[in-house]
Amino acid sequence: MKKSNQHWAKMEERGSRVGLKILLWVYRVFGRRLLWLVLFPVVLFMFLTGSRARLASYQFFKQAHRVNSDVPKPSFYTSLKHFCQFADSAFDKLDAWLNRIKQQDLTYNDSQVFPRLVEQNKGAIFIGSHLGNLEVCRALSYGKYTTKINVLVFTDHAVKFNEMLQSLNDGVAINLIQVGAMSPALAITLKEKVDNGEMIVIVGDRTSVTQQNRVEYVPFLGQDAAFSQGPFILAALLDCPIYWFFCFKEKGGFHVIFEHVSNGLSLPRKQRDIILKEVITAYAERLAYYAVRYPFQWFNFFDFWQKDETVSRRKEK
């Protein structure tokens, strides 16, 4: 099977924990600017040897440029810059947990969304993506509200990164829920959390780690792409307010966007397929809208338009 058909979750995790610790030490002792003297050769090596991710970057910019000519054309330089932005985003996360990013560094399209939900003791589900940097918002929300924020993750990579964060700040308490697949038991647990006024965060731009063909093919940047049904079915089961959720780095700080979708999503059996496709299409449209405005913050380094039925969910040997 071709490498390009490997599932995103089974791509080889590159780098080592020792390497990360060395970079973190340089970062904490010497700061971010000097860190790049050490980091750039690492990023360049990953770029030159990471053919799959490099091709994915090229493909994304090719599609995005076709849709909006303001997006840079795909090129060696464009993709290298893309890799550097991805590396830099990891240190934005660390800055947030080390209190180097403050509340005043954030702007909102609606700063009252979260406070209103907390005041009304209403749980909600926020459907985000790997466009931008949601980690910054999660870190900055910590300690500001007593309301719990539960983040669903689908691989152990996120858990390892969480352990690294906690080594920097013992006060960090991230409510990560590692999910292999959606199940009735998980849905019941999350429903209880929402009914208690807690928040759920999930991404909608990754297909299932374990289950094939649980997707809808909808237009994304001029070509049909597979989007998982799971997050949207979960939103319907939770019967709570639904928001699209984005956080983008801008000059001088970060811009946080909450877009209200519905106060509750209903999927009656006869209309289930139609409504599900409609809501996933709406999500893909908003994702595409922001992707061409913040193209270097697109952090899906795999073939986003691959057919889900041809994808291998087994690790390559």
Side-chain angles (χ1 to χ4, degrees):
M1 182 168 286
K2 295 180 180 179
K3 286 186 177 181
S4 61
N5 285 340
Q6 190 182 16
H7 189 261
W8 65 267
K10 298 303 182 184
M11 286 183 175
E12 182 181 359
E13 187 178 8
R14 307 181 72 201
S16 69
R17 295 178 70 100
V18 173
L20 280 174
K21 288 181 178 180
I22 291 171
L23 290 174
L24 285 172
W25 180 82
V26 174
Y27 169 73
R28 296 193 74 178
V29 174
F30 298 105
R32 196 154 175 163
R33 288 186 179 180
L34 286 178
L35 169 72
W36 269 101
L37 294 176
V38 178
L39 186 60
F40 182 74
V42 176
V43 174
L44 182 61
F45 173 80
M46 302 292 275
F47 174 75
L48 294 174
T49 60
S51 59
R52 184 185 290 116
R54 194 172 64 247
L55 179 61
S57 173
Y58 186 94
Q59 182 187 32
F60 167 75
F61 276 94
K62 181 179 179 181
Q63 292 293 136
H65 180 75
R66 283 178 177 175
V67 172
N68 188 326
S69 59
D70 289 338
V71 175
K73 291 182 179 180
S75 67
F76 179 94
Y77 171 76
T78 298
S79 289
L80 179 58
K81 181 179 177 181
H82 194 195
F83 271 60
C84 288
Q85 291 276 354
F86 176 61
D88 203 52
S89 72
F91 292 94
D92 287 332
K93 299 175 186 181
L94 296 174
D95 274 345
W97 290 115
L98 291 172
N99 297 318
R100 293 176 179 173
I101 299 175
K102 306 297 182 183
Q103 283 289 336
Q104 57 265 32
D105 296 320
L106 293 182
T107 60
Y108 297 85
N109 70 320
D110 185 348
S111 62
Q112 294 306 304
V113 167
F114 204 84
R116 278 197 301 265
L117 291 168
V118 172
E119 183 180 346
Q120 297 167 10
N121 195 34
K122 276 190 176 179
I125 183 168
F126 295 86
I127 302 180
S129 67
H130 292 83
L131 175 67
N133 201 334
L134 298 186
E135 190 85 33
V136 169
C137 295
R138 190 177 355 143
L140 293 171
S141 297
Y142 176 69
K144 188 176 180 182
Y145 303 102
T146 57
T147 301
K148 288 185 178 179
I149 301 174
N150 305 278
V151 181
L152 304 190
V153 297
F154 298 92
T155 70
D156 61 356
H157 300 176
V159 175
K160 290 177 181 177
F161 190 71
N162 178 45
E163 291 172 352
M164 183 178 67
L165 289 175
Q166 288 185 318
S167 72
L168 296 175
N169 185 347
D170 292 335
V172 171
I174 312 171
N175 298 308
L176 289 184
I177 301 176
Q178 191 170 0
V179 181
M182 291 297 175
S183 67
L186 175 63
I188 291 170
T189 298
L190 295 178
K191 176 63 175 168
E192 290 174 351
K193 289 180 177 294
V194 165
D195 289 345
N196 288 329
E198 297 182 25
M199 309 300 173
I200 307 296
V201 178
I202 190 171
V203 294
D205 60 342
R206 294 284 174 91
T207 55
S208 171
V209 173
T210 58
Q211 297 176 311
Q212 210 165 36
N213 295 326
R214 298 292 180 91
V215 299
E216 293 289 341
Y217 286 95
V218 300
F220 179 71
L221 296 180
Q223 186 175 335
D224 283 356
F227 285 82
S228 177
Q229 297 173 342
F232 306 92
I233 293 174
L234 176 64
L237 292 173
L238 296 183
D239 189 25
C240 65
I242 304 166
Y243 293 85
W244 305 149
F245 179 28
F246 301 95
C247 177
F248 301 113
K249 188 172 186 178
E250 296 184 338
K251 191 174 182 180
F254 296 85
H255 187 52
V256 182
I257 298 171
F258 297 114
E259 295 187 357
H260 181 259
V261 180
S262 172
N263 286 327
L265 180 63
S266 177
L267 296 176
R269 181 171 297 181
K270 290 185 179 180
Q271 297 176 290
R272 178 185 182 277
D273 292 343
I274 295 173
I275 295 174
L276 195 56
K277 186 145 194 168
E278 285 177 349
V279 71
I280 294 175
T281 299
Y283 170 80
E285 286 175 352
R286 296 311 287 165
L287 188 64
Y289 173 84
Y290 289 115
V292 297
R293 283 157 181 79
Y294 300 91
F296 288 102
Q297 296 184 52
W298 174 258
F299 300 139
N300 282 312
F301 287 92
F302 61 93
D303 181 2
F304 199 77
W305 291 270
Q306 62 189 351
K307 298 298 182 184
D308 191 64
E309 58 271 19
T310 67
V311 172
S312 170
R313 283 165 165 80
R314 295 175 299 174
K315 266 190 178 178
E316 292 180 347
K317 295 181 180 179

